[in-house]
Amino acid sequence: MEHLSTRELPRLSWIDTLYSNFNYNTDGYEGDTAEDRKSQDGSETMPFIDESPTMSPHLCARGQDGEAVSPTPPEGLLSGGDTEKGLEMKKLVLSGFLASEEIYINQLEALLLPVKPFKATATTSKPVLTMEQIETIFFMIQDIFVIHKEFYDAISPNIQQWDEKVTVGHLFQKLASQLGVYKAFVDNYKVAVETAEKCSLANSQFQKISENLKVKGPKESKDCTTTATMEALLYKPIDRVTRSTLVLHDLLKHTPKDHPDFPLLQDALRISQNFLSSINEEIDPRRTAVTTPKGEVRQLVKDGFLVEVSEGTRKLRHVFLFTDLLLCAKMKKTAVGRHQQYECKWYIPLADLSFQTLDDSDSLPHIQTLPEHEIEEMKIKISSIKSEIQKEKKAQKSQSRNVDRLRKKMNEQESCLLLHSPTIPFRIHNKHGKSYLFLLSSDYERSEWRESIQKLQKKDLQACVLSSVELQVLTGSCFKLRTVHNIPVTSNKDDEESPGLYGFLHVIVHKATGFKESANLYCTLEVDSFGYFVSKAITRVFRDTTEPQWNEEFEIELEGSQCLRILCYEKCYDKSKLNKDDNEIVDKIMGKGQVQLDPQTVQSKNWHMDVIEMNGIKVEFSMKFTSRDLSLKRTPSKKQSGVFGVKISVVTKRERSKVPYIVRQCIEEVEKRGIDEVGIYRISGVATDIQALKAAFDANTKDILMMLSDMDINAIAGTLKLYFRELPEPLLTDRLYPAFMEGIALSDPAAKENCMMHLLRSLPDPNLITFLTLLEHLKRVAEKEPVNKMSLHNLATVFGPTLLRPSESEISKAHITLASDIWSHDVMAQVQVLLYYLQHPPISFAELKKNTLYFSTDV
């Protein structure tokens, strides 16, 4: 399964025919026939289960010309506005699903029918099949049949006696909870089909039976028996598990949120999606193939866009992993109207491929990198263009040329960002030739490519040398075989696709089970943003255990995110295993998994518990989403005796200090032991630790210094950020905010200097002294950028909105109109204001107060 980008790309597979073949009422989710699943050379391809939540089909029927057409719902249902109409549509969905469930049960029954006779002959001198062959071919079919028969018998009376009080969610929830049976079936599917094929060749009696299995028709039809092959019927469970998930989407769509079924259907959908995701992690998705001149089948296992470093320059490549070789290609420029073609840059037989570490004599090539602030500026431009596109669409002036022009501009920016953002090295070696270096966006992605290659290398592979003609044929086939068609940028998405979530995702990583040996274990959390994945949080290392109990909470900022990934690592303390690619100790990935951030499921006030299964390991976590407009509110504290949510002037007066105690202590602790920490102020601290520190500072606890010395440094950094974020008005004040926005926009350096210094002078003394204290601290942090990877621009991005974002006012309400306006012009300006002061020579409070300007700026 491809995870080469920030989100799953559309995949061409058997599931795509769903849209053209889907029919609830007659065909019963009929999938491709066995013949349809043959590749170009006639070989069987491995089924691929698509768990994409966007694949929910609409109800459709067949027109006279055979084309799919939308059904006409009962009169009055087209508006779909009220509860009654929604429930009526729900009944239609359920009725169609029930009809298809009956067909599915009949298919399973047809498959089971010859099992008893086969077993009877197994102990005779002339068995049709041995007991071992019977158990392999019909593995788990009986269990699946029983599950669906019970489900059908339970749900059928509910639909026959339908009213608004009828609930079916618990039945779908039970059905979803039994999906483990399908896991076992899928794991055995390939062996079952291969065994059936071998037995057909060896035994003509079995061949005759397997090609003529009788399937009963629905109860309403008379003598409507059809014939099916065993191969086709063995495929039905693979097909069915996906279709059941699709129906859950449609049921949720037509179930009112206050109906008792809604949370149960949501839970069933979550279980189903996670199950499908875990299945896709493990099955070998060999869906396409080509035949070599020698008659051998070369199948495509995985493909995707990667950034290659070639002669010190980043190049976007399309990489194809076949069963016996890895091929790196680029798209050739072709004239308008001509078919697109790939050009092979290089290939390595898997028999000759290795991931050996660099020798001391080797050196990394110089890698072209963009400064961090340029990367951030690209994000800002992309968000700005997105806003312009939305405005153009809302204007409804039918000027599609403007939208097309903006889309093209956005595509250029997003493509550039994808090219320059990956930093994780992935080195490929040819035992008989040169090495190649890719840069990936996440360790998850690097691990997937490495595991896919290593899985193929376990087979008895022979080194292959392609002639120029063979290479040309193989490269030519890549265009048809590819499963990833576009780079993962917004301009390549459909307008109907979800824009993702903007705001804050609260995640509690509870525990993990399933480890066979004690180890030092920790987890990292990644989310997708702007076309690639970013590591956002890391748990503590739980030492020498098989059942780590982290129970750590993180607050993760989402920027159009659609997916959360969790990676579980074993910490390596052996310095001899230093990775020369990035000078970091290589920690072993014990397991990895991901969950889709479905807005319907996540956007709830309550915590949503979930489990990700990875290589036999289960990681339990909970999550809760807060939209950006809610999370940005500055709410004054009702308890004025504390420090959080209390005006800075009140706190300093009470403490008889120039800078709040909380600010001084957090800065001191970060400078003492956190200034070398990678991602300090960017990596999330554990939310429960931050809340504990918040409570301690609010209560003025005596042992606060002891707490600080024992606390994780990211939690202390997070507490400082939270303090400034929860001030009832920003540190640089609401009153001066418009002037700061105007001042930073000035073009003349002298005028800007005059204005920006005057604005500082206009701040109340507690605000000014605190700001200057923080400013000098952040400069000291940035001096350690080679170690902590936090530049002045990075720090300005983290703190700018926190120090400047207005409290509840017309300004703040205006700039949170669109979710994608996280990187709006206002936020860009807030970052630029702080960056201006960070890049300025040291600013002294005394000098500021002493200097008199020749003219002042009205504020």
Side-chain angles (χ1 to χ4, degrees), residues 740 742-761 836-837 839-844 848 851 853 855 857:
F740 275 114
E742 291 173 12
I744 199 64
L746 293 172
S747 301
D748 180 62
K752 183 183 284 190
E753 167 84 6
N754 189 0
C755 178
M756 298 301 278
M757 290 304 112
H758 174 67
L759 288 172
L760 282 189
R761 190 181 292 104
Y836 178 85
Y837 292 122
Q839 292 174 336
H840 196 280
I843 303 168
S844 158
L848 260 181
N851 281 346
L853 298 175
F855 62 91
T857 307

Side-chain angles (χ1 to χ4, degrees), residues 564-621:
L564 169 70
R565 289 175 171 176
I566 298 182
L567 296 92
C568 192
Y569 291 85
E570 178 184 359
K571 184 71 178 173
C572 175
Y573 292 103
D574 185 354
K575 292 187 178 180
S576 67
K577 295 183 179 179
L578 200 68
N579 181 354
K580 295 184 178 65
D581 277 358
D582 51 18
N583 290 322
E584 292 180 359
I585 292 174
V586 182
D587 293 338
K588 181 182 177 184
I589 295 181
M590 304 296 287
K592 64 188 190 308
Q594 65 179 10
V595 62
Q596 294 295 322
L597 298 176
D598 182 6
Q600 273 192 326
T601 306
V602 179
Q603 287 178 321
S604 165
K605 292 180 181 178
N606 302 320
W607 285 95
H608 176 74
M609 193 160 180
D610 215 330
V611 177
I612 287 182
E613 294 192 28
M614 42 178 88
N615 294 345
I617 300 164
K618 289 184 179 180
V619 175
E620 292 183 16
F621 65 99

Side-chain angles (χ1 to χ4, degrees), residues 358-423:
L358 293 169
D359 295 329
D360 292 333
S361 57
D362 291 333
S363 61
L364 267 175
H366 172 71
I367 301 173
Q368 173 193 16
T369 55
L370 282 182
E372 187 68 30
H373 69 90
E374 289 190 32
I375 295 284
E376 297 300 332
E377 282 167 10
M378 272 190 238
K379 293 181 181 179
I380 292 164
K381 285 179 186 175
I382 290 165
S383 291
S384 178
I385 296 169
K386 281 181 183 177
S387 298
E388 286 184 57
I389 290 172
Q390 292 297 327
K391 287 172 186 174
E392 284 286 337
K393 287 181 177 178
K394 284 184 179 179
Q396 293 182 339
K397 294 176 182 176
S398 301
Q399 295 184 4
S400 58
R401 286 185 182 179
N402 286 347
V403 175
D404 291 342
R405 177 182 57 80
L406 288 169
R407 281 188 182 278
K408 185 177 179 183
K409 195 174 173 184
M410 186 167 69
N411 185 283
E412 290 169 0
Q413 289 292 329
E414 289 188 310
S415 299
C416 189
L417 181 63
L418 281 175
L419 192 64
H420 289 94
S421 55
T423 57

Side-chain angles (χ1 to χ4, degrees), residues 24 64 536 563 599 795:
Y24 275 106
Q64 291 179 348
K536 287 284 191 176
C563 187
L795 293 164

Side-chain angles (χ1 to χ4, degrees), residues 619-661:
V619 175
E620 292 183 16
F621 65 99
S622 298
M623 54 185 175
K624 182 173 67 173
F625 175 73
T626 307
S627 62
R628 190 156 182 84
D629 54 343
L630 290 174
S631 61
L632 290 180
K633 286 183 180 177
R634 293 184 183 272
T635 309
S637 173
K638 294 177 182 177
K639 185 183 176 184
Q640 290 297 300
S641 60
V643 293
F644 282 82
V646 179
K647 285 186 177 180
I648 200 165
S649 57
V650 174
V651 174
T652 51
K653 186 176 180 179
R654 186 203 311 141
E655 293 178 353
R656 297 179 184 177
S657 62
K658 293 180 178 178
V659 178
Y661 178 69

Side-chain angles (χ1 to χ4, degrees), residues 628-745:
R628 190 156 182 84
D629 54 343
L630 290 174
S631 61
L632 290 180
K633 286 183 180 177
R634 293 184 183 272
T635 309
S637 173
K638 294 177 182 177
K639 185 183 176 184
Q640 290 297 300
S641 60
V643 293
F644 282 82
V646 179
K647 285 186 177 180
I648 200 165
S649 57
V650 174
V651 174
T652 51
K653 186 176 180 179
R654 186 203 311 141
E655 293 178 353
R656 297 179 184 177
S657 62
K658 293 180 178 178
V659 178
Y661 178 69
I662 182 175
V663 176
R664 287 182 280 126
Q665 289 308 127
C666 288
I667 285 176
E668 183 181 324
E669 200 65 34
V670 168
E671 292 192 2
K672 187 191 297 181
R673 60 189 179 90
I675 207 159
D676 291 335
E677 187 80 13
V678 174
I680 188 69
Y681 289 119
R682 179 178 61 80
I683 298 292
S684 300
V686 178
T688 44
D689 289 349
I690 293 171
Q691 290 303 317
L693 284 171
K694 176 184 176 181
F697 276 113
D698 269 340
N700 196 19
T701 308
K702 291 180 181 178
D703 58 353
I704 188 71
L705 292 178
M706 183 67 74
M707 280 184 71
L708 284 170
S709 62
D710 290 341
M711 200 65 78
D712 175 66
I713 200 63
N714 286 318
I716 295 168
T719 303
L720 184 61
K721 288 189 294 180
L722 184 67
Y723 169 72
F724 286 118
R725 199 164 80 202
E726 291 196 356
L727 283 173
E729 77 162 351
L731 186 65
L732 299 188
T733 73
D734 284 329
R735 183 176 66 89
L736 296 178
Y737 180 76
F740 275 114
M741 294 299 99
E742 291 173 12
I744 199 64

